[in-house]
Amino acid sequence: MGCGMGKSENQMKKSIRAALLIQRWYRQYVARLEMRRRCTWNIFQSIEYAGEQDQIKLYNFFGYLMDHFTPARNLISHIFRTNECCRDTEWESYFCYKSIQVPDSYPGPHLTFPMTFSGVSKLVEAFKHKQQLHARYVLQLLGETCRLLRILPNINCVSICHNKDITICGDLHGHLEDLLLIFYKNGLPSSEKPYVFNGDFVDRGKSSLEILLILFGFLMVYPNDVHINRGNHEDHIVNLRYGFTKEVLGKYRVHGKKILKLLQKIFSGLPLATVIDHKVLIVHGGISDMTDLNMISRVDRHKVKEAFSTVLRVFYNHYIKKILLAGFDQSYGEPKKSDSESDPESCETADEQEWKQVSDEKGSGSQLLFLETFNFKIVDMLWSDPMPQSGCIPNEVRGGGCYWGPDVTEKVLGRHNLHLLIRSHECKQEGYEFCHNLQVLTIFSASNYYEVGSNRGAYIRMGSDLVPHFSQYQASRTSRELTLRQSVSWTERSALQALRKQLFVHKSVLISAFQEFDPHNTGIISLSHWANATERVLNLALPWRVLRPQLVSSTHFGMVDYKQWIRELSIPEPKSEVRLAHILETMYKNHSNLETIFRIIDTDHSGLISFEEFRQTWKLLSSHLKTEISDESIADLAKSIDFNKDGSIDINEFMEAFRLVDLTAHT
Amino acid sequence: MAENKQSAEVVVSDVHKKIRAAFEVFDYELNNTVDAREISTIICSLGCFPSQADIHDFIAEVEEDQTGYVHLDKFLPAMTKVLLENKFPPIPEDRVLQAFEVLDKDNKGYLEAEELTKYLTQEGEVFNQKEMDEMLFAFSDPEKNVIHYKDLICQLTFDTGQ
């Protein structure tokens, strides 16, 4: 009670108060960072899903083409034809690697078959050092994989020995550094270290092929301990759009086409799901209320061609149903009337003849209907997402599969006596996330998926008690992990850039939307109206009010000068006349679909399409989009780019010429 | 008087908009509810500086009976009151500086990582290991293992200032 005690007690109190203040102050800062991070995340997700919605537009376009039966339809009809070389002997000779010589100067790894553990680990090392495997070995490895897949079942059944753990990985999307990180932390696959890889190995990242080669290598060495599930990106049509096709053709200029064709076969031969100890179901996307594992395990998945492309789903919906229900009722060169029936044309295309044959053979098309239902079930397994509400509704965001609720989880798990559903397909900030009362677990293994610092990757380890344990990581190019602050800023900048691009491509629609709020044409509207219009035009569910300060810097008293704002968004366009401005804008808006279409048209993967094909595609696209694009403006477009003198267009050059300039050049 | 009332209404409506916008970010199911654990982030993003105890009390007030969720109907009025009454006002820079100076007994101008860790993880509303690690990782001088708190204050103020 004396003065001495009082003084140190006082000091203590002061320290505590100081600590309290610092803690409060610092936590506030961290919370604000978290808010920014969450907003950034929303941006990326919205744009990603909007991109997938774009895919629906693409499929609608194909449907439109099918309906119109114009000669240009032949441009894409080949994707609906069955594989040309389907007989084994033909196939063997087409994919034969034996004639391909490996030169002495080749610095990369040499493989011997049958594959051994040391062979695969050599491969892993080589890829770690950025070497490229020679095409001969690629084809050989893939050929062996194809053979192996023929004998694997649709659903892998695994049992865990009581002293071993099984490791389960989610989406990798070409991120080799993440796979290497997992192997580093967890060990390479072996009979002591079983693994399940749950799909989406390719697209978006730069090393999709290397990942496939490694996984297939391990699969061949340990077929009972390494299990691979198909993902929705193991689909050649999706690959045309999301980068895998480009990657392979870029890395293997001579043999790329063969490799892609072989991969097409392999993808459709991949197993669809894995079940552990009859209790844990692992599938890439998820389930629907129609999921029946017994039915799925019975069908011969290899016979189902092109089953997983939702393009085909559109095709089936349009075309097959007509065959089954009403016979041929289209005629060339004229738009089809939906309820009309006309006599079948005497000159049918090869496609029509084939389908007629199939339906005749299989009798009343019931076989086709069966295949169709099977297709839908598979699409559900690879494309669906869980939702918090009960029920099962079509997944319109992705254009395939469904959204399923906790009641469906209960039902399907109950039906098959399962305890847990492990799936992937959706990026999660922490690399994993539970939902549906801990009955559904999402695992995602591609870290920094949207941008450096955007999210962690994770993998699961599970023992015979079937309790999942998680390991998280984040691959980074620098030796140090980014701090929270750095990763948020970096991701945010990237997200805002992506968002500004979106705003830019919609600028004329935005201006009209703004003008609706500005009847006296003052050029100024309120922030509220700005947010309203932007949300409507972009159709991205984003917290616009929160984002507003980052996107609109010049405001006075809560008002925006929208014309100036649009100008600020603009980037210098290539020298073009007013006539071209419109086609350019359409081009920007649809550029990823356009690229996909071009690549489909380029059947021999040469990277070139003829000017005539180019022109036809543009005309079709414009009529489908109900915009006017005249022959003159297409000709102008051709002139403004240096086309090859032989009248063909290099797709890559064309896309490069219109690539949006990096907007950070301005900031 | 009527004019005052009108401008007060405008102020309240603006405050409502801000609150709704922040709330929306965490409303994943689009049904005007958020997980109670996100409340502190939302409050802070609106410029408030609550203590853990403040947050705890606030959540107790607005949480939907033991569900772990908070509905906008309860959040909006409670948060509006907080903002209009400035219940958790910002901490001015000089007070933060003073606080650091209290801990820096020898007046060195910086704090050793160990020192700071001891204070922040043992006194007051303690930091957990993760929070402490992140702070040191982000802001300490890696070679000397010290935090120059004046720089820290400048950086954080700059980061959050708009």
Side-chain angles (χ1 to χ4, degrees), chain A residues 524-565:
Chain A
I524 304 204
I525 54 175
S526 74
L527 280 171
S528 208
H529 288 157
W530 174 89
N532 209 307
T534 310
E535 178 163 357
R536 212 173 3 113
V537 169
L538 245 59
N539 208 16
L540 292 174
L542 290 176
W544 291 104
R545 267 166 250 276
V546 176
L547 291 171
R548 198 270 314 149
Q550 311 272 33
L551 295 168
V552 184
S553 49
S554 46
T555 64
H556 292 289
F557 311 107
M559 307 293 280
V560 183
D561 178 343
Y562 60 87
K563 288 190 183 155
Q564 203 211 330
W565 179 67

Short mmCIF file of all heavy atoms in Angstrom, two decimals, chain A residues 524-565:
data_model
loop_
_atom_site.label_atom_id
_atom_site.label_comp_id
_atom_site.label_asym_id
_atom_site.label_seq_id
_atom_site.Cartn_x
_atom_site.Cartn_y
_atom_site.Cartn_z
N ILE A 524 -23.66 13.68 -65.67
CA ILE A 524 -23.36 13.39 -64.26
C ILE A 524 -24.52 12.60 -63.65
O ILE A 524 -25.69 12.92 -63.86
CB ILE A 524 -23.18 14.70 -63.48
CG1 ILE A 524 -22.07 15.52 -64.16
CG2 ILE A 524 -22.85 14.42 -62.02
CD1 ILE A 524 -21.38 16.49 -63.28
N ILE A 525 -24.17 11.57 -62.93
CA ILE A 525 -25.21 10.82 -62.20
C ILE A 525 -24.74 10.53 -60.80
O ILE A 525 -23.55 10.68 -60.50
CB ILE A 525 -25.52 9.46 -62.89
CG1 ILE A 525 -24.24 8.64 -63.08
CG2 ILE A 525 -26.25 9.68 -64.21
CD1 ILE A 525 -24.49 7.27 -63.62
N SER A 526 -25.67 10.11 -59.95
CA SER A 526 -25.29 9.85 -58.56
C SER A 526 -24.57 8.50 -58.47
O SER A 526 -24.69 7.65 -59.34
CB SER A 526 -26.53 9.81 -57.66
OG SER A 526 -27.22 8.59 -57.90
N LEU A 527 -23.83 8.32 -57.38
CA LEU A 527 -23.09 7.08 -57.17
C LEU A 527 -24.05 5.90 -57.09
O LEU A 527 -23.75 4.81 -57.54
CB LEU A 527 -22.28 7.18 -55.88
CG LEU A 527 -20.97 7.95 -56.04
CD1 LEU A 527 -20.34 8.19 -54.69
CD2 LEU A 527 -20.02 7.19 -56.94
N SER A 528 -25.17 6.17 -56.49
CA SER A 528 -26.18 5.13 -56.35
C SER A 528 -26.62 4.62 -57.72
O SER A 528 -26.68 3.42 -57.97
CB SER A 528 -27.37 5.76 -55.64
OG SER A 528 -28.05 4.81 -54.94
N HIS A 529 -26.88 5.56 -58.61
CA HIS A 529 -27.29 5.19 -59.96
C HIS A 529 -26.15 4.50 -60.68
O HIS A 529 -26.37 3.56 -61.46
CB HIS A 529 -27.75 6.44 -60.74
CG HIS A 529 -29.07 6.96 -60.27
ND1 HIS A 529 -29.47 8.25 -60.46
CD2 HIS A 529 -30.10 6.34 -59.64
CE1 HIS A 529 -30.70 8.41 -59.94
NE2 HIS A 529 -31.08 7.27 -59.46
N TRP A 530 -24.95 4.98 -60.43
CA TRP A 530 -23.79 4.35 -61.05
C TRP A 530 -23.74 2.87 -60.66
O TRP A 530 -23.60 1.99 -61.51
CB TRP A 530 -22.51 5.05 -60.61
CG TRP A 530 -21.28 4.35 -61.10
CD1 TRP A 530 -20.65 4.55 -62.29
CD2 TRP A 530 -20.54 3.34 -60.42
NE1 TRP A 530 -19.56 3.72 -62.39
CE2 TRP A 530 -19.47 2.96 -61.26
CE3 TRP A 530 -20.67 2.69 -59.18
CZ2 TRP A 530 -18.55 1.99 -60.90
CZ3 TRP A 530 -19.75 1.72 -58.84
CH2 TRP A 530 -18.70 1.38 -59.70
N ALA A 531 -23.89 2.62 -59.36
CA ALA A 531 -23.80 1.24 -58.87
C ALA A 531 -24.92 0.40 -59.47
O ALA A 531 -24.71 -0.74 -59.91
CB ALA A 531 -23.88 1.22 -57.36
N ASN A 532 -26.09 0.97 -59.49
CA ASN A 532 -27.27 0.32 -60.03
C ASN A 532 -27.07 -0.12 -61.48
O ASN A 532 -27.27 -1.28 -61.85
CB ASN A 532 -28.40 1.35 -59.98
CG ASN A 532 -29.73 0.70 -59.84
OD1 ASN A 532 -30.06 -0.18 -60.63
ND2 ASN A 532 -30.48 1.10 -58.82
N ALA A 533 -26.65 0.84 -62.32
CA ALA A 533 -26.48 0.57 -63.75
C ALA A 533 -25.37 -0.44 -63.99
O ALA A 533 -25.52 -1.37 -64.78
CB ALA A 533 -26.17 1.88 -64.48
N THR A 534 -24.27 -0.26 -63.28
CA THR A 534 -23.14 -1.15 -63.48
C THR A 534 -23.51 -2.59 -63.12
O THR A 534 -23.18 -3.53 -63.83
CB THR A 534 -21.95 -0.70 -62.63
OG1 THR A 534 -21.73 0.69 -62.87
CG2 THR A 534 -20.69 -1.46 -62.99
N GLU A 535 -24.21 -2.72 -62.01
CA GLU A 535 -24.60 -4.06 -61.59
C GLU A 535 -25.50 -4.71 -62.64
O GLU A 535 -25.35 -5.88 -62.97
CB GLU A 535 -25.35 -3.97 -60.27
CG GLU A 535 -25.83 -5.33 -59.81
CD GLU A 535 -26.19 -5.33 -58.33
OE1 GLU A 535 -26.00 -4.29 -57.68
OE2 GLU A 535 -26.65 -6.37 -57.86
N ARG A 536 -26.41 -3.93 -63.17
CA ARG A 536 -27.34 -4.46 -64.16
C ARG A 536 -26.63 -4.87 -65.45
O ARG A 536 -26.86 -5.95 -65.99
CB ARG A 536 -28.40 -3.39 -64.47
CG ARG A 536 -29.73 -4.00 -64.81
CD ARG A 536 -30.86 -2.99 -64.94
NE ARG A 536 -30.55 -1.60 -64.81
CZ ARG A 536 -30.63 -0.71 -65.83
NH1 ARG A 536 -30.97 -1.12 -67.01
NH2 ARG A 536 -30.33 0.56 -65.61
N VAL A 537 -25.75 -4.02 -65.92
CA VAL A 537 -25.09 -4.29 -67.20
C VAL A 537 -24.12 -5.46 -67.10
O VAL A 537 -24.11 -6.36 -67.93
CB VAL A 537 -24.32 -3.04 -67.68
CG1 VAL A 537 -23.43 -3.38 -68.85
CG2 VAL A 537 -25.31 -1.95 -68.07
N LEU A 538 -23.32 -5.44 -66.07
CA LEU A 538 -22.30 -6.47 -65.97
C LEU A 538 -22.87 -7.78 -65.49
O LEU A 538 -22.30 -8.85 -65.71
CB LEU A 538 -21.19 -6.01 -65.00
CG LEU A 538 -19.85 -5.82 -65.68
CD1 LEU A 538 -19.96 -4.79 -66.78
CD2 LEU A 538 -18.79 -5.40 -64.70
N ASN A 539 -23.99 -7.69 -64.78
CA ASN A 539 -24.61 -8.91 -64.27
C ASN A 539 -23.65 -9.75 -63.43
O ASN A 539 -23.66 -10.97 -63.50
CB ASN A 539 -25.13 -9.74 -65.46
CG ASN A 539 -26.31 -10.58 -65.04
OD1 ASN A 539 -26.91 -10.34 -64.02
ND2 ASN A 539 -26.62 -11.58 -65.84
N LEU A 540 -22.80 -9.06 -62.69
CA LEU A 540 -21.91 -9.75 -61.77
C LEU A 540 -22.37 -9.39 -60.37
O LEU A 540 -22.47 -8.21 -60.05
CB LEU A 540 -20.46 -9.29 -61.95
CG LEU A 540 -19.75 -9.64 -63.24
CD1 LEU A 540 -18.40 -8.96 -63.28
CD2 LEU A 540 -19.57 -11.14 -63.36
N ALA A 541 -22.63 -10.38 -59.56
CA ALA A 541 -23.10 -10.08 -58.21
C ALA A 541 -21.93 -9.64 -57.35
O ALA A 541 -21.26 -10.45 -56.72
CB ALA A 541 -23.76 -11.32 -57.62
N LEU A 542 -21.65 -8.35 -57.36
CA LEU A 542 -20.50 -7.84 -56.60
C LEU A 542 -20.94 -6.70 -55.70
O LEU A 542 -21.91 -6.03 -55.98
CB LEU A 542 -19.43 -7.31 -57.56
CG LEU A 542 -18.70 -8.37 -58.38
CD1 LEU A 542 -17.76 -7.70 -59.35
CD2 LEU A 542 -17.92 -9.28 -57.46
N PRO A 543 -20.22 -6.51 -54.61
CA PRO A 543 -20.58 -5.40 -53.73
C PRO A 543 -20.08 -4.08 -54.33
O PRO A 543 -19.05 -3.54 -53.92
CB PRO A 543 -19.85 -5.73 -52.43
CG PRO A 543 -18.67 -6.53 -52.85
CD PRO A 543 -19.06 -7.27 -54.08
N TRP A 544 -20.85 -3.54 -55.28
CA TRP A 544 -20.38 -2.40 -56.04
C TRP A 544 -20.12 -1.17 -55.19
O TRP A 544 -19.20 -0.41 -55.43
CB TRP A 544 -21.37 -2.06 -57.16
CG TRP A 544 -21.39 -3.12 -58.21
CD1 TRP A 544 -22.32 -4.08 -58.40
CD2 TRP A 544 -20.37 -3.35 -59.19
NE1 TRP A 544 -21.96 -4.89 -59.44
CE2 TRP A 544 -20.78 -4.47 -59.94
CE3 TRP A 544 -19.17 -2.72 -59.51
CZ2 TRP A 544 -20.03 -4.97 -60.99
CZ3 TRP A 544 -18.42 -3.22 -60.55
CH2 TRP A 544 -18.86 -4.34 -61.28
N ARG A 545 -20.98 -1.00 -54.17
CA ARG A 545 -20.77 0.19 -53.34
C ARG A 545 -19.45 0.16 -52.60
O ARG A 545 -18.78 1.16 -52.43
CB ARG A 545 -21.92 0.33 -52.34
CG ARG A 545 -23.04 1.21 -52.86
CD ARG A 545 -24.30 1.07 -52.01
NE ARG A 545 -25.34 0.38 -52.74
CZ ARG A 545 -26.17 0.99 -53.59
NH1 ARG A 545 -26.06 2.27 -53.82
NH2 ARG A 545 -27.08 0.30 -54.24
N VAL A 546 -19.09 -1.06 -52.17
CA VAL A 546 -17.83 -1.19 -51.45
C VAL A 546 -16.66 -1.02 -52.40
O VAL A 546 -15.62 -0.45 -52.06
CB VAL A 546 -17.75 -2.57 -50.75
CG1 VAL A 546 -16.43 -2.77 -50.08
CG2 VAL A 546 -18.88 -2.71 -49.74
N LEU A 547 -16.82 -1.52 -53.62
CA LEU A 547 -15.74 -1.46 -54.60
C LEU A 547 -15.60 -0.09 -55.22
O LEU A 547 -14.58 0.24 -55.79
CB LEU A 547 -16.01 -2.47 -55.72
CG LEU A 547 -15.90 -3.93 -55.32
CD1 LEU A 547 -16.40 -4.80 -56.45
CD2 LEU A 547 -14.44 -4.26 -55.03
N ARG A 548 -16.67 0.67 -55.12
CA ARG A 548 -16.73 1.93 -55.83
C ARG A 548 -15.48 2.79 -55.69
O ARG A 548 -14.95 3.30 -56.66
CB ARG A 548 -18.00 2.68 -55.42
CG ARG A 548 -18.44 3.78 -56.36
CD ARG A 548 -17.87 5.14 -56.05
NE ARG A 548 -17.95 5.46 -54.65
CZ ARG A 548 -17.06 6.23 -54.02
NH1 ARG A 548 -16.04 6.76 -54.65
NH2 ARG A 548 -17.19 6.47 -52.74
N PRO A 549 -14.95 2.98 -54.47
CA PRO A 549 -13.79 3.86 -54.35
C PRO A 549 -12.60 3.40 -55.18
O PRO A 549 -11.78 4.21 -55.58
CB PRO A 549 -13.44 3.80 -52.86
CG PRO A 549 -14.64 3.26 -52.19
CD PRO A 549 -15.39 2.46 -53.18
N GLN A 550 -12.51 2.11 -55.42
CA GLN A 550 -11.38 1.62 -56.19
C GLN A 550 -11.57 1.80 -57.67
O GLN A 550 -10.63 1.75 -58.44
CB GLN A 550 -11.20 0.11 -55.93
CG GLN A 550 -11.22 -0.25 -54.47
CD GLN A 550 -9.86 -0.16 -53.87
OE1 GLN A 550 -9.07 0.68 -54.27
NE2 GLN A 550 -9.59 -1.02 -52.94
N LEU A 551 -12.83 1.92 -58.07
CA LEU A 551 -13.10 1.95 -59.51
C LEU A 551 -13.38 3.36 -60.02
O LEU A 551 -13.11 3.67 -61.16
CB LEU A 551 -14.30 1.06 -59.83
CG LEU A 551 -14.07 -0.43 -59.56
CD1 LEU A 551 -15.39 -1.17 -59.63
CD2 LEU A 551 -13.11 -1.00 -60.58
N VAL A 552 -13.96 4.17 -59.17
CA VAL A 552 -14.30 5.53 -59.59
C VAL A 552 -13.57 6.50 -58.69
O VAL A 552 -13.94 6.67 -57.53
CB VAL A 552 -15.81 5.79 -59.47
CG1 VAL A 552 -16.13 7.16 -60.02
CG2 VAL A 552 -16.61 4.73 -60.19
N SER A 553 -12.55 7.13 -59.21
CA SER A 553 -11.77 8.00 -58.32
C SER A 553 -12.32 9.42 -58.30
O SER A 553 -12.20 10.11 -57.31
CB SER A 553 -10.32 8.02 -58.77
OG SER A 553 -10.28 8.26 -60.16
N SER A 554 -12.91 9.85 -59.42
CA SER A 554 -13.30 11.25 -59.46
C SER A 554 -14.78 11.42 -59.14
O SER A 554 -15.63 11.17 -59.97
CB SER A 554 -13.01 11.82 -60.85
OG SER A 554 -13.48 10.91 -61.82
N THR A 555 -15.06 11.79 -57.93
CA THR A 555 -16.45 12.08 -57.59
C THR A 555 -16.53 13.43 -56.88
O THR A 555 -15.62 13.81 -56.16
CB THR A 555 -17.04 11.03 -56.62
OG1 THR A 555 -16.32 11.10 -55.39
CG2 THR A 555 -16.92 9.65 -57.20
N HIS A 556 -17.62 14.11 -57.11
CA HIS A 556 -17.86 15.37 -56.39
C HIS A 556 -19.21 15.29 -55.73
O HIS A 556 -20.21 15.10 -56.41
CB HIS A 556 -17.85 16.54 -57.39
CG HIS A 556 -16.49 16.79 -57.98
ND1 HIS A 556 -15.47 17.32 -57.24
CD2 HIS A 556 -16.00 16.55 -59.21
CE1 HIS A 556 -14.39 17.42 -58.01
NE2 HIS A 556 -14.68 16.97 -59.20
N PHE A 557 -19.22 15.42 -54.42
CA PHE A 557 -20.47 15.43 -53.67
C PHE A 557 -21.34 14.23 -54.04
O PHE A 557 -22.53 14.36 -54.27
CB PHE A 557 -21.27 16.73 -53.93
CG PHE A 557 -20.45 17.95 -53.78
CD1 PHE A 557 -20.06 18.68 -54.90
CD2 PHE A 557 -20.03 18.36 -52.52
CE1 PHE A 557 -19.27 19.82 -54.76
CE2 PHE A 557 -19.24 19.50 -52.38
CZ PHE A 557 -18.86 20.23 -53.51
N GLY A 558 -20.70 13.08 -54.12
CA GLY A 558 -21.47 11.87 -54.38
C GLY A 558 -21.98 11.74 -55.80
O GLY A 558 -22.92 11.00 -56.05
N MET A 559 -21.41 12.47 -56.74
CA MET A 559 -21.84 12.35 -58.14
C MET A 559 -20.67 11.93 -59.01
O MET A 559 -19.52 12.23 -58.71
CB MET A 559 -22.39 13.70 -58.64
CG MET A 559 -23.48 14.29 -57.77
SD MET A 559 -24.98 13.31 -57.78
CE MET A 559 -25.72 13.83 -59.31
N VAL A 560 -21.00 11.24 -60.09
CA VAL A 560 -19.95 10.74 -60.99
C VAL A 560 -20.10 11.35 -62.37
O VAL A 560 -21.20 11.36 -62.93
CB VAL A 560 -20.07 9.21 -61.17
CG1 VAL A 560 -18.96 8.68 -62.04
CG2 VAL A 560 -20.08 8.51 -59.82
N ASP A 561 -19.00 11.80 -62.93
CA ASP A 561 -19.00 12.24 -64.33
C ASP A 561 -18.74 10.99 -65.15
O ASP A 561 -17.59 10.59 -65.37
CB ASP A 561 -17.89 13.28 -64.52
CG ASP A 561 -17.79 13.75 -65.96
OD1 ASP A 561 -18.33 13.08 -66.88
OD2 ASP A 561 -17.15 14.80 -66.19
N TYR A 562 -19.80 10.36 -65.61
CA TYR A 562 -19.63 9.02 -66.17
C TYR A 562 -18.91 9.01 -67.52
O TYR A 562 -18.21 8.06 -67.85
CB TYR A 562 -20.97 8.27 -66.26
CG TYR A 562 -22.04 8.91 -67.11
CD1 TYR A 562 -22.10 8.67 -68.48
CD2 TYR A 562 -22.99 9.74 -66.53
CE1 TYR A 562 -23.09 9.24 -69.25
CE2 TYR A 562 -23.98 10.31 -67.30
CZ TYR A 562 -24.03 10.07 -68.65
OH TYR A 562 -25.00 10.65 -69.40
N LYS A 563 -19.07 10.07 -68.28
CA LYS A 563 -18.40 10.08 -69.58
C LYS A 563 -16.89 10.10 -69.40
O LYS A 563 -16.14 9.39 -70.07
CB LYS A 563 -18.87 11.27 -70.41
CG LYS A 563 -20.27 11.08 -70.91
CD LYS A 563 -20.68 12.13 -71.93
CE LYS A 563 -22.14 11.91 -72.32
NZ LYS A 563 -22.79 13.13 -72.80
N GLN A 564 -16.50 10.91 -68.42
CA GLN A 564 -15.07 10.99 -68.17
C GLN A 564 -14.56 9.67 -67.62
O GLN A 564 -13.49 9.18 -67.98
CB GLN A 564 -14.77 12.11 -67.17
CG GLN A 564 -13.34 12.59 -67.30
CD GLN A 564 -12.79 13.09 -65.99
OE1 GLN A 564 -13.53 13.59 -65.16
NE2 GLN A 564 -11.51 12.94 -65.80
N TRP A 565 -15.37 9.06 -66.78
CA TRP A 565 -14.97 7.79 -66.19
C TRP A 565 -14.76 6.73 -67.26
O TRP A 565 -13.77 6.00 -67.26
CB TRP A 565 -16.04 7.34 -65.20
CG TRP A 565 -15.74 6.05 -64.56
CD1 TRP A 565 -14.73 5.78 -63.69
CD2 TRP A 565 -16.44 4.82 -64.75
NE1 TRP A 565 -14.77 4.46 -63.31
CE2 TRP A 565 -15.81 3.86 -63.94
CE3 TRP A 565 -17.56 4.45 -65.50
CZ2 TRP A 565 -16.24 2.53 -63.87
CZ3 TRP A 565 -17.99 3.14 -65.43
CH2 TRP A 565 -17.34 2.20 -64.63
#
